[in-house]
Every structure is written in C-alpha cells, then in structure tokens.
C-alpha cells in the first residue's frame, strides 16, 4: 500500500487544481525524441474515397489468329472493347510454356511474353481454376495465346479471361498524391483505389505476429502509366477474389513502379492479417507485391525505396531485425517448396522463391534483395534502446509477441499491442514504458486507452495486498479488478476518500462501477456502499 499512498498526494493535488480529472489535464509533457523509436506508420494519401466500381470479368472466345509472323499454333481473342487485364487458364496438366502477346497501338503484335502459373494460394484452399498470373494489356483489343506441353502444342486447352477494372476519379491522381512529398510513402487505401467490398468474401483473419516480410513481383508488364496503377490493383483484386476464389486480394500491400503504395488485403496494415501471397507461408509474414515483371528488368529506385520503407515500418514496429533470420513452419500446399510441418530458416526479408515453387520476384528482382534488405535495416536503425522493446523483452513470457506495430497515440505517447495476455505497452517521456494487461487493459481500452480519464500507465500491474484482486496505476488514477467485480477505474475526489479509508481493504471494498454523473456531482459504487463527490470538491462522502 505504501507506493499507492506516495502517489496519492500527487493525484489529489491534481484534483484540487483541476477539479474532475480529464485526460487532457493528466497529459505529460511533450515527448522528446527517443533513440530506437520504431519507424512511423505510412500516412494516408490526401485523396477522397473513390466510387467503388465492380470490375467486369469475362471469358473471351479464342479463335483463329489474325495473319501475322510467328502465329503458328496460336489462338486469338478479339474484342470491341479494350481487354485491359487478361489471364490464361487451362484444363489438364499445367503446360511447360504459356505465352501471350497483344496488338500494339502501331497495329503490330508485340513480342511473345511468357506468363507464369499462379504461384500463391490461400492456405487450405486451392484456386478455383488452374490459371496464370494476370497481364496488363491496357487498351489492346486483340490478344494471342499459345502453349506447349511436353514438346507438343497445348493451346487447345487454353482459355482467356479479361478483367475490365473500369475507372474512378482517383486513378489519374493517385500516384501524384501519394508521391508528392519526400519521406514515407503515402498509402492509397482500399476506399481510395475503389475496391468494391462486395467482392471481399474472406473476412480478415489474424495470426499472433509477423516475423518476416516476403517480397514479390506481380509479373505481368512494366509498361503501365501512373494513371493505370489503381486500375491494375482493382483488376488483380477481382482476379484473386473472384476468378481464383480467394475472396480478397492476395498481397498485404502493393507498390507500383513510381513508388505508390496501395493497401492490399483487408484488415489493417498495422495488424498481422493473413493474406494469400506465399502458399504455405502466409502466416506470420507480410507480403509486398512490387507491380511489374522483374525477370530481366530491375525494379526502379522509387519502387525499391517504397518497398524498403514498408518493410521497415512493419519489421521495425514489431522489433524484428531485418538482417536476422527467422524460423517459419510450412503449412504445405501445392505452391509451397516445403511440406506441411517443415520448419524452415529464412532471412527476415526473403523472396517468394525462397519458399515457393516459383521464380518470383524474377531474376533481377532477386538481385535487388540485398539492396531492399540493407535499406530496410538502415531505416529500422538500432532498436536496442527502444523502451517499449525493452519492456517487452523483460515481460516476454507474459506478453508473448508484438502483434500491432508500435505507433503514436494520445498524450504524446506510443503504444505496441501484444499477442499474449491482452497486453499493451505504453511509453511517454514523462512516464516511461509500462505494460497494461488482461481485464484491466480491456477496461482501459473501453475508457479510451491513452485518452482515458486515468491517463497513462506509470507502473506494471500488481496484485492487491489482500490477494483478491489486481490493479494498475496511471497518471490520474488506478484501475482495479477482481473476478467478482470486474475492472473499474478510481480517480479524483472519490479516489482520495477511498484511499484515505484504506483502498480495497476499507469498508467500501472494491469498485463495482465507474464514476457516473448524478445531481450535483458524480457517484461511484463499491462492494459495500457508494461515494458521492460534489462538483468541484476534493473529497467525497458515503451515500
């Protein structure tokens, strides 16, 4: 009880000066910069929400090709409308080689481009069809397809799907809005790129933490404009959600060649949401899809920088070392290199081909991995002095793993949420780093967390002297819990009187409610009676 008595004087003094304690009154001084503070979250692009549009997905008829060089064994789709995004599907075994080409604006067909089979899957669910990665053909109205399997033509088994993502008012301005200023890339949210949430049939699922970042390329084409990027994302979304049957886009986030960041899988970039980007390794990973084909062309500098900044945000905010290794356990599946249950040691920033039967992120993409990894590490910096990380490591048995990335919160504080014991750790320069856990943290969240009237935590949770309950101390009060009464805050004049009477060992016992307004002041109920504090008074009386 001694520590509670020592702190009570300060809390009562605060109540005498301010009357009823508010979160603003309890706020500590502005936070000073901290060495090792996790990277800041990427801001949202300054764009309004776009009109949600449902992409038009169609099966295109394949017929005889138009006379052109090198069209033997090809089949052709011709449409009165631009085909935009296309993908090849097939029956039977996957062909050894699948290629397509589109008619260019100059009237000729472009070079044959090899397309890869879809190299990811939603864990526990195979794709609805055997199909290729989608390819952006923009306004082309004619596409030719050919395939070879075991040295023989296999084009007759091929089909072509087109996805018209339509347009929104944000398409032409998304890149400029997201890349107009230096520093952190701005995120174009699902609402801003025009996601039709009716297509989202896979509600967010979460894993306890993220331990690694997986780097991908989306394949397809590099020949897209800034105005095309949002449409390509909508097209990939429709293809993954509907055609492949995943129920959402497979990547956690996508980055175009201009460095624009597009929110991917629904559920929050700051949270450990499970996506469908690396079959067998979708859990505890964060998939970044670099938009383009990096088989023979290197990702542009802007794309690499934005990718590294996203990786640094996710890993740094969860106190992961980008230059370290992690051990992940495969969930198996048709696209995984490893059987279910196999423990695999990987770099914290790894390429999709490290775990999947794929060439992703391409040969030049793989050569960019050291640059991405080094830049990520430089952005994360030295987290050894991070106070929240220090508290976590001291209480790892209780808190388990960081779940929601460290972020700024009210009262110039920072917070990280953890997977164990419903735990959070708050830090400010005026209070230090302290954990809040269990039912007390649930109540604290319900009160507004860092904005709550009790302020910020100033000590870790402790047991009460009578052994019945537990309590956490805050800048402007306490929260007490027992299995019989639940968790409730006590503050201000009511706290002063209750403390003077002996806290929970007083005749009042533990609190059974929060303060609530009554005529002339506030009242709070306890196990054996209630206390009433008149407005402006520093003490309360039994009622």
């Amino acid at each position: 009880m001694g520590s509670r008595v020592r702190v009570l004087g300060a809390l009562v003094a605060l109540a005498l000066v301010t009357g009823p304690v508010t979160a603003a009154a309890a706020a500590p001084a502005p936070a000073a910069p901290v060495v090792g503070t996790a990277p800041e979250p990427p801001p949202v692009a300054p764009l309004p929400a776009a009109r949600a549009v449902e992409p038009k997905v169609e099966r295109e008829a394949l017929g005889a090709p138009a006379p052109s060089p090198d069209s033997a064994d090809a089949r052709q789709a011709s449409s009165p409308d631009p085909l935009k995004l296309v993908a090849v599907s097939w029956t039977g075994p996957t062909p050894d080689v699948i290629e397509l080409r589109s008619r260019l604006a100059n009237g000729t067909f472009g070079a044959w481009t090899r397309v890869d089979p879809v190299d990811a899957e939603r864990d526990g669910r195979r794709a609805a069809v055997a199909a290729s990665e989608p390819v952006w053909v923009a306004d082309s109205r004619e596409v030719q397809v050919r395939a070879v399997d075991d040295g023989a033509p296999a084009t007759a088994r091929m089909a072509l799907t087109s996805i018209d993502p339509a347009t929104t008012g944000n398409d032409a301005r998304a890149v400029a809005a997201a890349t107009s200023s230096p520093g952190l890339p701005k995120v174009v949210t699902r609402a801003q790129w025009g996601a039709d949430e009716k297509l989202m049939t896979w509600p967010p699922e979460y894993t306890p933490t993220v331990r690694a970042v997986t780097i991908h390329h989306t394949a397809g084409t590099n020949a897209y404009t800034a105005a095309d990027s949002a449409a390509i994302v909508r097209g990939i979304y429709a293809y993954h959600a509907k055609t492949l049957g995943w129920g959402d886009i497979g990547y956690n986030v996508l980055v175009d060649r201009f460095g624009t960041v597009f929110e991917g899988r629904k559920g929050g970039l700051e949270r450990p949401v499970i996506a469908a980007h690396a079959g067998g390794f979708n859990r505890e990973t964060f998939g970044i899809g670099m938009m383009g084909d990096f088989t023979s062309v290197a990702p542009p500098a802007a794309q690499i920088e934005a990718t590294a900044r996203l990786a640094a945000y996710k890993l740094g905010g969860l106190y992961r070392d980008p230059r370290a290794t992690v051990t992940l356990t495969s969930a198996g599946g048709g696209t995984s290199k490893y059987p279910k249950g196999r423990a695999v040691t990987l770099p914290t920033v790894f390429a999709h081909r490290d775990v999947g039967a794929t060439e992703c992120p391409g040969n030049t993409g793989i050569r960019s991995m050291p640059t991405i990894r080094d830049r990520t590490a430089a952005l994360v910096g030295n987290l050894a002095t991070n106070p929240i990380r220090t508290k976590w490591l001291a209480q790892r048995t209780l808190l388990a793993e960081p779940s929601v990335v460290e972020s700024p919160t009210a009262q110039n504080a920072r917070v990280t949420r953890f997977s164990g014991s419903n735990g959070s750790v708050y830090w400010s320069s005026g209070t230090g780093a302290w954990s809040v856990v269990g039912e007390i943290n649930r109540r604290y969240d319900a009160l507004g967390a860092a904005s709550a009237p009790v302020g910020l935590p100033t000590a870790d949770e402790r047991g009460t002297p009578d052994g019945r309950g537990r309590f956490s101390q805050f800048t402007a009060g306490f929260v007490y819990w027992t299995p019989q009464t639940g968790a409730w805050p006590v503050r201000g004049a009511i706290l002063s009187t209750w403390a003077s009477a002996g806290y929970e060992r007083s005749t009042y016992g533990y609190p059974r409610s929060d303060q609530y307004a009554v005529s002339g002041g506030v009242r709070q109920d306890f196990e054996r009676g209630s206390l009433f504090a008149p407005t402006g008074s520093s003490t309360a009386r039994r009622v």
Side-chain angles (χ1 to χ4, degrees), residues 36-41 184 309 312-317 376 379-381 383 406-407 414:
T37 294
E40 292 298 307
L184 281 170
R309 287 186 175 275
Y313 159 68
K314 195 68 175 183
L315 295 175
T376 300
L379 290 165
V380 169
L383 290 174
E406 181 184 311
S407 60
R414 299 184 70 84

Side-chain angles (χ1 to χ4, degrees), residues 13-360:
L14 181 61
L16 286 170
V17 171
T18 64
V21 176
T22 66
V34 178
V35 175
T37 294
E40 292 298 307
V44 173
L47 289 168
R51 175 181 57 88
V53 292
E54 181 175 359
K56 182 180 178 183
V57 181
E58 292 187 331
R59 176 68 64 89
E60 300 293 337
L62 289 175
S68 60
D70 199 22
S71 62
D73 300 321
R75 303 287 284 173
Q76 180 172 317
S78 300
S79 171
D81 302 311
L83 290 167
K84 297 298 186 181
L85 190 74
V86 298
V88 182
S89 59
W90 54 89
T91 57
T94 299
D96 297 327
V97 177
I98 307 167
E99 296 177 307
L100 65 76
R101 64 181 180 176
S102 60
R103 192 180 290 278
L104 306 177
N106 64 10
T108 65
F109 276 93
W112 284 104
T113 300
R114 185 166 179 163
V115 294
D116 295 325
V118 170
D119 56 14
E121 61 187 334
R122 178 175 163 183
D123 289 343
R125 177 182 295 190
R126 289 188 176 274
V129 295
S132 75
E133 298 289 357
V135 177
W136 182 252
V137 296
D139 291 333
S140 179
R141 288 172 166 81
E142 295 174 86
V143 169
Q144 293 183 350
V145 178
R146 68 184 184 186
V148 175
D149 189 27
D150 198 22
T155 311
R157 296 194 283 115
M158 301 298 106
L160 189 77
T161 297
S162 68
I163 303 106
D164 180 1
T167 59
T168 77
N170 282 348
D171 287 3
R173 54 188 178 177
V175 171
T179 60
S180 59
S181 58
L184 281 170
K186 299 179 181 66
V187 175
V188 180
T189 67
R190 291 170 67 98
Q192 290 172 330
W193 56 255
D196 180 2
E197 297 297 359
K198 294 193 301 295
L199 303 182
M200 204 290 295
T201 59
W202 180 16
E205 296 179 49
Y206 298 95
T207 190
T209 190
V210 166
R211 299 180 189 273
V213 166
T214 314
I215 304 298
H216 304 261
H217 72 172
T218 61
T221 182
N222 302 312
Y224 58 87
T225 68
D228 291 333
S229 293
I232 293 173
V233 173
R234 286 195 302 276
I236 294 173
Y237 170 46
Y239 185 61
H240 287 181
K242 291 185 66 175
T243 306
L244 299 184
W246 293 347
D248 200 357
I249 194 166
Y251 304 105
N252 292 100
V253 67
L254 300 94
V255 182
D256 75 4
R257 67 190 185 94
F258 308 99
T260 318
V261 175
F262 294 88
E263 180 185 9
R265 173 81 168 109
K266 192 177 182 67
L269 294 181
E270 75 284 0
R271 302 187 66 190
V273 63
I274 300 170
H277 62 92
F281 293 84
N282 289 317
R283 298 180 64 86
E284 300 191 336
T285 59
F286 182 74
I288 302 176
M290 298 190 297
M291 295 167 60
D293 184 342
F294 303 116
T295 301
S296 57
V297 177
Q303 192 169 36
I304 287 178
E305 176 68 10
T307 298
R309 287 186 175 275
L310 282 167
Y313 159 68
K314 195 68 175 183
L315 295 175
L318 298 174
Y319 317 119
R320 310 299 186 190
D321 181 354
R323 289 197 175 99
T325 59
V326 296
T327 299
L328 302 175
T329 301
S330 174
T335 65
S336 175
K337 286 171 62 174
Y338 300 97
K340 184 176 181 179
R342 175 76 60 85
V344 184
T345 299
L346 298 159
T348 305
V349 181
F350 68 88
H352 185 191
R353 67 169 62 175
D354 292 334
V355 297
T358 176
E359 294 301 308
C360 177

Side-chain angles (χ1 to χ4, degrees), residues 8 12 15 490-504 506-508 526 530-534 537-543:
L8 179 62
V12 171
V490 192
R491 61 191 187 275
I494 289 177
L495 170 60
S496 174
T497 299
W498 182 62
S500 298
Y503 292 96
E504 73 281 353
S506 68
T507 57
Y508 300 100
F526 293 80
S530 300
L531 285 170
F532 168 75
S537 174
S538 62
T539 59
R541 68 175 185 269
R542 180 186 284 271
V543 291

